[in-house]
Amino acid sequence: MTLLNFLLDGTRVMFRGGKAYWLWLLALATIVVLGGYAYGIQLGDGLVVTGMSDQVSWGFYIANFAFLVGIAAAAVLLVIPAYVFNRRDIKAVVLIGEGLAVAAVVGAMLFVIVDLGRPDRLLHMIPGIGRFNFPDSLLAWDVVVLNGYLALNLAIPLYVHFCHYRGQEPVFKAYFPFVVLAMFWAISIHTVTAFLFSANAARPFWHVALLGPRFIATAFVSGPALIILLLQLLRRTTRYPVAQSVIDTLSIVMTFALQISLFFVGVELFTDFYNETSHAASLRYLYFGLEGHNALQPYIWGALAMNLVAVVILMIHPLRRRLLNVACVLAFVGIWIEKGIGFVVPGFIPTPLGEVFEYTPSGVELAVSAGIWAVVALLFTLLAKASIAISTGEVRAERSPGPAQITSA
Amino acid sequence: MSKAADTARTEQGIDQYRRRFLGRLAGTVAAGATAGPAWGGATLADAMGSFFQKHYQQMTRDEVTDALRRIERKAERRYGVKIRCTEAPAPDDVRFGYALNISKCQGYRDCVSACVRENNLGRDSQVQYIRVLEMDRDTQEVESADHYYDPATVPVEGKYYLPVQCMQCDNPPCVKACPVDATWMDPDGIVVIDYDWCIGCRYCMTACPYWARHFNWSAPLLDAQEINPETNYLGNRPRPAGVVEKCHFCTQRTRAGRQPACQEACPTGARIFGNLLDPDSEIRYVLENKKVFRLKEELGTEPKFWYFTD
C-alpha cells in the first residue's frame, strides 16, 4: 500500500508547480507533439523522407543515439564518488545523475526505434517470441546493456527514494551491490556502443581500437558538462542544496577528459595522415573534403575549435572559475558534433566501393530528433521534480518519523 | 540508357502508380462498404497473419503455405498481377560459386538490367544488386572508379570493368551483425534474407564490405507489365517497405537447376556460375586453372565470388 502511495504521491508532485514550471512542461510537450507528427509522416511514407540513402544508411538518428548513450554513462561519475568514496556532497545529488541516466537511455532507445524501417516488428527481438542473435550481434548486445542499465537506474533510485519517503535510511547492504553493478554497467554501455561501430571491418574509419577509449573519454566530457549546467539550474530554481564542491569536482573530471579526448583526436590525425592510406579517406572527407564534397568540414573544425577553447578555459584557474558555463556549453556542443554526425556519417563516406555520396538530415529527421530530445528533457524534469520533492521532505508518507537528512543517500 | 530516358521512365512509373493508387483507394472504399474490413490495403486477416508470422525457419509447412499465399494476394492487391510464390529450398550437395572474367567484361551492364527485371527490383528507387565499376587500367583501387559511366560508349580505352555484387561470403559479416537472425547462409552457401522478419535496422548494410545490401526506403514501385511472376519466398518476390534486400544468386532459378539471370544476359560470356562441389563443373575448372582473385580478401570474409583474367 505504501508503495502505491509512494508512486502516486511521486507522480502527483511531478505535475505540481508554478507558472514557469508549467510553461516549461508545455513548451517541451509541444515539441514532443511536433516530433510525433513528423514521425507519423515517416511511418506513412517510409524512411525515404529522411536524408539517408543506401550510401549513407545511418545518419542523424544514430548520431544522437551514440551521443546520448555517452550522457547516460556519465552518471557513473557521480555514482563512484558518492558511493565508493563516500563524498557526502555528491551523494546529495547522485539521484539527479541517475535521473539523467534514465532520461538519456530512454532517448537513446527512442533514437534507435525511429531509425528502424519496421518498428512494427520490434517484437522480433524479444527472446522467446522472436529470435535474438545474441551473443553474435553487437546490436543485440546493445539492447541487453541499455535495458539493463535502464533497469538498474530505475531500481536503485526507486528504492532510495522509497526509503526517504517513509523517513527511513536506505539499507546500505541492500543497494550497494547494485550500485557496484551499475558502475561497471555504465562503462559497458558505452564500450558496447563503441564496439557496435568498431566491429565493422568494412568501415576503416570506425575499425580502430581507439574507438572504445575515445567514446568513454568524450562521454566524460559531455556528461559532466551537462550535469554542471543542470545542477546550477536546479540550485537556482529549486530549494535543492547543490554544494559548489560537487561542481568543482565535475569540472576537474571534465578537464582531464577533454584533454585526453583532444589527445586522442591528435593521435588519430597523425596515424591516418602521416602515411596516408586509402583507409584515411573518411577522415580526409571529414576534415578536408573528398572530390569537392565537404559538407561536414565546417562542423568538425567548428567542433575542434569549441573543444580547444573549452579546454583552455578549463585549464586556467581564473578562467575556469569565471567562464565555467561557457566551457560547458562549448564542450557539450563540440562533443555532440564530434561523436555524433562527425563520427557516424564519415564512416559511410566513401562507400566500401569508393563512391562519395553526401548526406544532409531532412526536416523530418530534425523534427523527430527535436521531439526525442524534448522527451529526454521532459523525462528529466519530471524525475528531478519528484526526486527533489522527496529528498527535501516535501513529499512524505503519512505518519513517517520526521524528515530524513537528504545528505544520507 | 540516357539519364533523360531514365527520368522519363521513372515519372511514367510514378504516374501509373498514382493512378493505380487512386483506383485502389476507390476500390477500398467500395470494398469497405460491401465486402468487409480493409487494413492498410490488406484484409484484416492478412494483416494479422503477417504481424504474427514466425521466422521463416520456425514456420510449420502449413504456416509457410499461408505465408506464400499472403504474398501472392498482396502482390495482386498492390500491383494487380497474379504471381506464383514458392518456397525453393536449397538443394542437397550443392555449394554455389561465381567466377567473373574481367578480361571479357566490356561494361555493357546487360547483367544489371536483366537482374532488375528478373528480381523485381523497385523501379523508382533504381536499386541494383550489381554495380559495375569502370576502373583505371593501372589500379585495383575502387576509390578512383567511375560508378555512373555511360554504357553507350563502352569499352573505353584505358579502362576495365569490375562488376560487384553480393559475394555470398562464407564468413558473412552481415549475418553476424543482424540482431534478429533475419539473414543467414543456406546450406547451398547463399546468404538469404527473410524480408518478413527483417526489422530494418540496416546494421547489415554497415557490416558489408562490398556495399551489396540495399534498403527499401519506401515501398518498391513495380510496373505491372514488367513484374516477373515466378517468385520465391527468400528471393525475388516483391519486397515490403522498410527491409533490406540483396543479390541471392537468383535462388528462384539456380535452385531449379538454371543459371542466374546475370549469367544468361552477359553478351561476352564473362560470367561462370556453378556448383563448387561438382568436380566437373566449369567453375571448378576456372578455380583450378586460372589465376583468380577475390575482393578485399584481407577482411577474412571468404567470398564465393572470384575474378579472373584470360
Side-chain angles (χ1 to χ4, degrees):
Chain A
M1 247 11 247
T2 334
L3 183 65
L4 189 67
N5 281 337
F6 162 69
L7 292 174
L8 283 176
D9 284 351
T11 312
R12 229 173 272 139
V13 76
M14 286 178 184
F15 298 99
R16 211 188 295 146
K19 208 176 271 177
Y21 181 70
W22 273 101
L23 269 178
W24 169 242
L25 290 191
L26 208 68
L28 289 177
T30 310
I31 302 172
V32 173
V33 169
L34 288 176
Y37 176 73
Y39 185 55
I41 295 174
Q42 183 186 303
L43 277 182
D45 296 353
L47 283 160
V48 69
V49 299
T50 69
M52 291 183 277
S53 59
D54 278 358
Q55 284 84 355
V56 183
S57 46
W58 279 350
F60 203 58
Y61 294 151
I62 297 298
N64 279 293
F65 154 76
F67 179 76
L68 267 174
V69 175
I71 297 292
V76 77
L77 290 175
L78 292 177
V79 170
I80 291 176
Y83 294 112
V84 179
F85 300 114
N86 237 330
R87 280 270 299 264
R88 298 190 134 252
D89 53 341
I90 294 184
K91 219 169 189 180
V93 296
V94 69
L95 292 166
I96 295 294
E98 284 161 335
L100 180 63
V102 168
V105 171
V106 169
M109 287 172 165
L110 286 175
F111 270 115
V112 174
I113 290 171
V114 298
D115 191 63
L116 293 181
R118 298 302 299 236
D120 54 321
R121 296 179 182 170
L122 207 58
L123 290 179
H124 291 186
M125 274 199 179
I126 312 292
I129 304 174
R131 298 252 307 233
F132 197 51
N133 189 13
F134 188 85
D136 266 8
S137 170
L138 260 301
L139 209 49
W141 272 86
D142 229 341
V143 171
V144 171
V145 295
L146 287 182
N147 279 294
Y149 194 64
L150 180 61
L152 281 171
N153 278 286
L154 280 174
I156 298 170
L158 212 64
Y159 169 72
V160 174
H161 280 124
F162 186 49
C163 290
H164 287 170
Y165 176 74
R166 288 185 304 172
Q168 293 168 353
E169 273 300 304
V171 182
F172 181 75
K173 269 192 207 147
Y175 70 84
F176 190 68
F178 294 98
V179 168
V180 174
L181 186 60
M183 287 172 207
F184 287 100
W185 211 287
I187 303 298
S188 88
I189 60 167
H190 216 35
T191 309
V192 167
T193 304
F195 285 179
L196 183 77
F197 295 97
S198 68
N200 296 292
R203 312 278 171 182
F205 180 63
W206 299 335
H207 190 56
V208 287
L210 191 58
L211 211 62
R214 260 192 90 174
F215 262 46
I216 301 289
T218 48
F220 287 179
V221 177
S222 53
L226 184 60
I227 295 170
I228 289 171
L229 294 171
L230 289 175
L231 287 179
Q232 290 178 86
L233 199 71
L234 291 177
R235 186 160 63 180
R236 203 163 295 175
T237 56
T238 69
R239 293 191 293 124
Y240 200 51
V242 177
Q244 185 59 32
S245 56
V246 178
I247 287 165
D248 290 343
T249 301
L250 285 174
S251 61
I252 298 275
V253 171
M254 184 185 160
T255 309
F256 284 142
L258 188 51
Q259 288 168 338
I260 295 170
S261 299
L262 284 164
F263 172 66
F264 285 167
V265 171
V267 166
E268 187 167 46
L269 289 170
F270 168 79
T271 312
D272 268 6
F273 287 135
Y274 181 72
N275 265 328
E276 190 172 347
T277 71
S278 55
H279 283 183
S282 296
L283 202 68
R284 176 158 286 282
Y285 165 74
L286 177 62
Y287 280 90
F288 305 105
L290 265 187
E291 298 171 19
H293 299 283
N294 55 357
L296 289 177
Q297 202 181 358
Y299 292 95
I300 199 66
W301 285 105
L304 190 59
M306 284 189 255
N307 287 336
L308 282 170
V309 172
V311 84
V312 169
I313 294 175
L314 290 170
M315 280 160 63
I316 300 168
H317 286 282
L319 282 181
R320 184 171 67 230
R321 268 195 291 278
R322 294 178 54 187
L323 298 173
L324 179 62
N325 288 344
V326 175
C328 286
V329 171
L330 286 176
F332 184 82
V333 177
I335 297 295
W336 179 66
I337 294 170
E338 187 196 303
K339 86 190 283 192
I341 209 92
F343 164 73
V344 172
V345 174
F348 295 97
I349 303 171
T351 69
L353 295 186
E355 184 183 357
V356 177
F357 190 91
E358 293 201 285
Y359 159 83
T360 317
S362 71
V364 170
E365 256 171 307
L366 295 176
V368 170
S369 302
I372 295 176
W373 274 102
V375 169
V376 174
L378 196 59
L379 212 53
F380 175 75
T381 306
L382 297 176
L383 289 174
K385 184 78 167 54
S387 174
I388 291 170
I390 293 167
S391 301
T392 53
E394 186 190 320
V395 173
R396 234 344 83 100
E398 288 170 38
R399 276 177 297 166
S400 71
Q405 278 162 16
I406 61 152
T407 45
S408 54
Chain B
M1 199 193 329
S2 74
K3 203 156 190 177
D6 252 0
T7 321
R9 204 170 69 164
T10 312
E11 273 170 11
Q12 191 191 5
I14 292 171
D15 202 42
Q16 283 176 353
Y17 174 66
R18 255 190 227 125
R19 231 173 289 147
R20 215 177 303 121
F21 173 74
L22 290 176
R24 201 173 54 219
L25 198 68
T28 313
V29 172
T34 56
W39 182 263
T43 61
L44 187 61
D46 272 6
M48 286 294 117
S50 297
F51 185 78
F52 289 109
Q53 188 176 314
K54 290 186 203 148
H55 187 281
Y56 175 73
Q57 292 170 321
Q58 286 172 331
M59 280 194 267
T60 64
R61 294 241 52 77
D62 286 351
E63 286 167 340
V64 170
T65 310
D66 283 351
L68 295 174
R69 296 298 89 79
R70 268 198 299 275
I71 290 166
E72 290 169 353
R73 283 197 294 274
K74 193 177 170 196
E76 193 169 357
R77 268 195 308 271
R78 183 164 159 73
Y79 303 108
V81 176
K82 275 197 187 332
I83 65 163
R84 202 167 73 88
C85 190
T86 61
E87 199 180 351
D92 290 332
D93 304 322
V94 172
R95 198 86 176 160
F96 289 114
Y98 220 133
L100 200 147
N101 186 342
I102 51 171
S103 308
K104 283 190 172 160
C105 180
Q106 305 289 315
Y108 298 130
R109 291 212 192 101
D110 287 356
C111 52
V112 178
S113 44
C115 169
V116 167
R117 282 193 304 274
E118 170 68 29
N119 289 304
N120 292 320
L121 293 182
R123 302 303 202 270
D124 54 333
S125 58
Q126 302 192 2
V127 167
Q128 295 167 349
Y129 290 165
I130 307 171
R131 178 148 291 205
V132 185
L133 305 181
E134 189 177 68
M135 307 279 289
D136 289 330
R137 182 63 82 182
D138 56 1
T139 179
Q140 271 195 38
E141 190 69 82
V142 292
E143 260 73 26
S144 56
D146 186 354
H147 290 241
Y148 302 101
Y149 67 88
D150 180 2
T153 59
V154 295
V156 173
E157 192 64 38
K159 304 282 186 186
Y160 72 100
Y161 298 87
L162 186 77
V164 182
Q165 59 203 77
C166 176
M167 303 279 149
Q168 314 295 350
C169 303
D170 236 26
N171 182 20
C174 52
V175 169
K176 219 168 159 181
C178 178
V180 294
D181 282 332
T183 184
W184 63 89
M185 183 160 55
D186 260 353
D188 57 358
I190 299 177
V191 175
V192 291
I193 301 171
D194 182 351
Y195 311 118
D196 291 340
W197 193 257
C198 170
I199 59 170
C201 70
R202 308 189 296 292
Y203 194 30
C204 57
M205 296 171 73
T206 302
C208 175
Y210 305 100
W211 202 64
R213 288 179 166 256
H214 305 274
F215 185 68
N216 287 285
W217 299 95
S218 57
L221 216 70
L222 293 171
D223 195 345
Q225 277 90 50
E226 287 186 18
I227 285 187
N228 173 8
E230 291 301 317
T231 69
N232 65 340
Y233 184 91
L234 296 169
N236 64 337
R237 59 153 155 140
R239 266 78 64 191
V243 303
V244 170
E245 60 176 278
K246 68 170 191 69
C247 160
H248 43 84
F249 276 0
C250 283
T251 40
Q252 68 280 3
R253 298 166 67 106
T254 52
R255 286 179 175 176
R258 297 171 67 198
Q259 287 285 313
C262 49
Q263 193 281 338
E264 263 184 28
C266 179
T268 66
R271 289 170 168 271
I272 312 285
F273 177 85
N275 181 4
L276 295 169
L277 302 182
D278 175 6
D280 300 325
S281 63
E282 207 179 346
I283 179 113
R284 279 285 289 272
Y285 178 84
V286 170
L287 295 184
E288 281 155 25
N289 295 286
K290 301 285 183 180
K291 287 199 176 68
V292 298
F293 70 93
R294 297 182 289 185
L295 290 185
K296 306 195 184 191
E297 270 195 308
E298 73 277 14
L299 298 183
T301 51
E302 298 291 338
K304 292 194 287 291
F305 196 108
W306 288 265
Y307 296 89
F308 66 103
T309 50
D310 280 335

